[in-house]
Amino acid sequence: MSSAERVVFEHVTKRYPGTGAGNPGAVEDLSLEVPAGKVCVLVGPSGCGKTTSLKMINRLIEPTSGRILIGDRDIAQQDVIALRRGIGYVIQQVGLFPHQTVADNVATVPRLLGWDEGRRKDRATELLELVGLDPTRYANRYPSALSGGERQRVGVARALAADPPVLLMDEPFGAVDPIVRERLQNELLNLQEQLAKTILFVTHDIDEAIKMGDLVAVMQVGGHLAQFGTPDEILANPASDFVARFVGADRGLKRLALTRVDALELMPPVTASSGDDAADARRRALADPFPYLLLVDAERRPIGWVDQDDIPSSGTIGEDLATAMSPLFSRRTTLKDALAMLIEAEVHAGIVVDGKGAAMGLLTADMIFASSRDGRSPEARAGA
Amino acid sequence: MIAAVTWFSDPAHWSGQNGVPYRLFQHVGISLVSVLIAMAIALPLGLYIGHTRRGQAFAVNLANVGRAIPSLAAIAIVVPFTQALDPGPGFNLYPTVIAMIVLAIPPILVNTYAGVSGVDADLVESARAMGMTERQVLTRVEVPVAIPIIVGGIRSASVQVIATATLGAIYGLGALGGFIVEGVAQNDDGQLFAGVLLVALLALLAEGGLALVQRRLAAPIAARAT
């Protein structure tokens, strides 16, 4: 498996004949570096130059000035055919060859590279499995016999065929319905965990950009790079009014969707089990700022809440004391989902449980709000 | 019609230079040669124009001129230029063949150019982006996808050429048209009808055969769920 390589734009400008800067598709002095193995999403409104920028990497479009490096090599110095064979390319319309079977489509670049038939066949089988298409069912079909989602998977398999270090994707999931899109996005993220390619991904959908990108480049009409950073940085500190408007008024919520429960330091609950000494439990509960005692079973699985004032001063704790319950979160629940569940249940705190259902700690709405304040610059906070 | 049956049943009409087999062979032969020469000229030109998008106006104009010229006029126009080429008086092969080539070029050229330039731009871009050379883009993607349309052009050219070859008899080229010309001249309805039937049959055969080829070539592209 070849390793991924970085992609670097150095003052890249593309102007179209007879026009100045600011025309649709033009790119103005773009400089950015995508480290090897990262996903960089180019996002922006129509005509912002994001697709132009992508196509300059495989030289479908030649820049007017500036240079682009893959690894340390200037792509303008390389043979354009060899360059393209080393870069995977996926587009919205997929562009599968209608006169070739799925297997032949997948093996396009290996064939161009002169691999023998057996090796091509093996590679096609391997890739179809990788993208979740059963080779015995799909290898000999023609593209017209596939659904939109299946075609898109074949398109990804084809782009990966010669194991390129860099993958370019131009709105790859733009033509499929939202449910399939979400599934394909998740599959690509899983695939990327195994493959760790350098991926440049173009979309006009900010939610997709935030979900898919390790880095997000927000572009503005005229081909200006408005902001380049991690999704969290862009949501927390939009560099301009344009970026703030583009990411949307709900950017706080979007940011919550980026963080998972396990990223926060949870509040340890005061717990007791059925049969414990009530006086001791009451003393512990009253000493804790959180006014409830969590009743758990022998495996520390939550049973329900007991108001600290309702705990008897003598005797033992019984399960009948529990009067209320909270939503349960897994460690992988996003803060956005957690907040939504708290709102739905009309409570302030939820219980985070591990894989066996045992309570790990509490997550309160206040903790979620506090986390969304972190990372914002003072100016942004003052302006909010 | 009965006269034609009677004419066909006379064994004298099935042998010699004026017999059915010889004239059929003549007709098919010159039609085939004309179409092949037209293909040799129109296919590369059409592929070039379709792939590079250069000279599209030329292709369109040429096609219109080609369609506007009646077959008979095409032959008449070339007669004075080609008489010098013919080996002897009364042997009028060249005018008809050249006219047929001229008439066969536009449909082949236009369909080839239109078929290739009509291939989905995303498909072509994908091919190029995967590192195909321009030649590979043409031979591995554009031509295979456009081939049913290209064959469609050859099909209409063939039918037109078979019809035009009939007219050649007016200028002394035998072939199947000979039966018609002679039938009219000699007031021989049987021979006239026989000639008409043979030409019609041949044209239908060519049309049907090439339509079949066209369908076979289009099959994988249109294939549905297996």
Side-chain angles (χ1 to χ4, degrees):
Chain A
M1 179 148 299
S2 74
S3 53
E5 299 214 63
R6 66 179 188 148
V7 174
V8 186
F9 283 77
E10 286 180 353
H11 303 288
V12 173
T13 292
K14 175 67 188 178
R15 293 208 181 100
Y16 286 95
T19 61
N23 286 283
V27 173
E28 196 61 35
D29 195 27
L30 177 66
S31 294
L32 58 81
E33 173 169 349
V34 183
K38 296 290 181 194
V39 180
C40 172
V41 180
L42 303 171
V43 65
S46 314
C48 70
K50 54 190 189 296
T51 295
T52 307
S53 303
L54 196 75
K55 287 182 178 175
M56 286 193 284
I57 300 171
N58 60 6
R59 294 178 59 190
L60 287 173
I61 296 174
E62 298 283 356
T64 308
S65 63
R67 53 179 209 154
I68 298 172
L69 310 179
I70 292 181
D72 296 316
R73 303 209 295 158
D74 183 348
I75 61 167
Q77 307 299 320
Q78 296 175 44
D79 172 61
V80 68
I81 299 297
L83 172 79
R84 287 172 182 167
R85 288 178 185 173
I87 298 176
Y89 188 59
V90 183
I91 58 175
Q92 181 176 337
Q93 300 77 4
V94 196
L96 295 183
F97 303 135
H99 59 292
Q100 291 183 349
T101 62
V102 165
D104 287 341
N105 263 288
V106 172
T108 302
V109 179
R111 186 166 166 222
L112 293 172
L113 294 171
W115 295 15
D116 64 60
E117 194 179 342
R119 192 171 162 215
R120 294 204 302 260
K121 213 168 231 171
D122 291 348
R123 183 64 178 156
T125 303
E126 183 188 349
L127 282 161
L128 287 175
E129 274 166 3
L130 188 69
V131 298
L133 295 173
D134 178 2
T136 57
R137 281 184 60 206
Y138 286 94
N140 295 318
R141 287 198 190 175
Y142 284 92
S144 55
L146 303 179
S147 72
E150 288 166 346
R151 276 181 217 174
Q152 201 51 258
R153 286 193 183 90
V154 175
V156 171
R158 183 172 70 170
L160 291 169
D163 201 21
V166 176
L167 206 57
L168 309 179
M169 308 183 91
D170 191 358
E171 305 224 15
F173 309 139
V176 292
D177 68 66
I179 294 168
V180 176
R181 182 181 315 145
E182 168 136 23
R183 202 186 316 142
L184 291 173
Q185 286 171 343
N186 293 338
E187 285 175 11
L188 180 64
L189 288 173
N190 289 336
L191 214 56
Q192 171 65 358
E193 266 180 36
Q194 305 169 45
L195 302 175
K197 300 289 181 192
T198 307
I199 300 180
L200 280 94
F201 187 112
V202 161
T203 180
H204 60 266
D205 177 358
I206 184 68
D207 292 310
E208 186 168 60
I210 290 164
K211 177 172 180 179
M212 303 306 291
D214 297 312
L215 292 164
V216 174
V218 184
M219 295 184 69
Q220 196 168 346
V221 174
H224 296 281
L225 181 63
Q227 192 168 6
F228 182 53
T230 65
D232 192 56
E233 282 163 12
I234 283 167
L235 291 172
N237 292 311
S240 64
D241 282 351
F242 168 78
V243 178
R245 265 183 288 120
F246 190 76
V247 299
D250 63 339
R251 65 173 192 268
L253 274 180
K254 283 176 176 148
R255 243 191 113 206
L256 292 181
L258 289 176
T259 317
R260 297 185 189 276
V261 165
D262 59 4
L264 299 190
E265 198 178 326
L266 301 178
M267 182 191 284
V270 179
T271 62
S273 297
S274 177
D276 284 1
D277 179 48
D280 172 58
R282 183 178 167 87
R283 196 181 58 252
R284 283 190 292 124
L286 288 171
D288 191 88
F290 195 72
Y292 291 90
L293 171 81
L294 181 63
L295 206 59
V296 294
D297 69 10
E299 257 75 69
R300 276 190 65 81
R301 287 190 292 244
I303 295 165
W305 294 107
V306 184
D307 191 318
Q308 60 187 16
D309 297 328
D310 294 345
I311 306 171
S313 17
S314 64
T316 57
I317 301 284
E319 286 193 12
D320 55 326
L321 287 171
T323 54
M325 191 51 188
S326 285
L328 302 180
F329 309 137
S330 85
R331 280 175 296 181
R332 302 291 294 159
T333 305
T334 67
L335 293 187
K336 183 182 174 186
D337 289 344
L339 187 61
M341 287 158 82
L342 292 180
I343 292 168
E344 176 72 21
E346 296 182 39
V347 292
H348 269 93
I351 305 158
V352 181
V353 295
D354 65 16
K356 297 193 180 85
M360 297 171 64
L362 302 181
L363 179 68
T364 65
D366 286 341
M367 289 162 67
I368 295 176
F369 297 150
S371 84
S372 74
R373 282 191 294 272
D374 294 344
R376 281 204 206 178
S377 64
E379 315 87 76
R381 218 174 297 163
Chain B
M1 284 308 283
I2 294 160
V5 174
T6 323
W7 188 87
F8 275 129
S9 56
D10 184 345
H13 297 146
W14 291 87
S15 64
Q17 294 230 340
N18 291 327
V20 173
Y22 184 81
R23 286 191 161 177
L24 186 66
F25 174 76
Q26 221 181 359
H27 203 112
V28 171
I30 57 170
S31 299
L32 204 64
V33 167
S34 308
V35 172
L36 289 177
I37 294 173
M39 281 167 68
I41 297 166
L43 284 178
L45 202 58
L47 293 178
Y48 176 82
I49 296 171
H51 180 73
T52 62
R53 312 286 164 101
R54 272 179 227 153
Q56 292 184 75
F58 166 75
V60 170
N61 289 332
L62 189 73
N64 288 338
V65 170
R67 283 196 193 112
I69 301 177
S71 310
L72 195 56
I75 300 175
I77 290 170
V78 291
V79 165
F81 299 103
T82 57
Q83 251 161 0
L85 293 171
D86 277 313
F91 192 86
N92 281 309
L93 177 63
Y94 287 105
T96 312
V97 169
I98 290 176
M100 291 196 298
I101 294 168
V102 167
L103 291 171
I105 286 175
I108 300 176
L109 177 65
V110 169
N111 274 43
T112 304
Y113 139 72
V116 169
S117 68
V119 172
D120 190 350
D122 294 314
L123 212 58
V124 176
E125 191 191 81
S126 278
R128 207 165 273 146
M130 279 187 289
M132 288 193 189
T133 61
E134 290 308 305
R135 176 179 287 268
Q136 286 167 332
V137 170
L138 184 67
T139 57
R140 296 191 185 186
V141 179
E142 289 176 327
V143 168
V145 172
I147 197 79
I149 299 174
I150 296 173
V151 172
I154 296 170
R155 178 179 148 193
S156 32
S158 303
V159 173
Q160 202 178 351
V161 158
I162 288 169
T164 306
T166 314
L167 298 176
I170 296 170
Y171 292 91
L173 181 90
L176 295 176
F179 296 131
I180 299 173
V181 172
E182 288 157 22
V184 172
Q186 297 162 15
N187 241 336
D188 180 351
D189 284 351
Q191 190 178 359
L192 173 63
F193 283 135
V196 169
L197 272 175
L198 286 169
V199 171
L201 220 66
L202 189 59
L204 284 175
L205 221 67
E207 165 80 11
L210 285 167
L212 217 68
V213 172
Q214 207 178 351
R215 274 244 297 280
R216 283 294 296 270
L217 290 170
I221 298 173
R224 290 287 151 208
T226 45

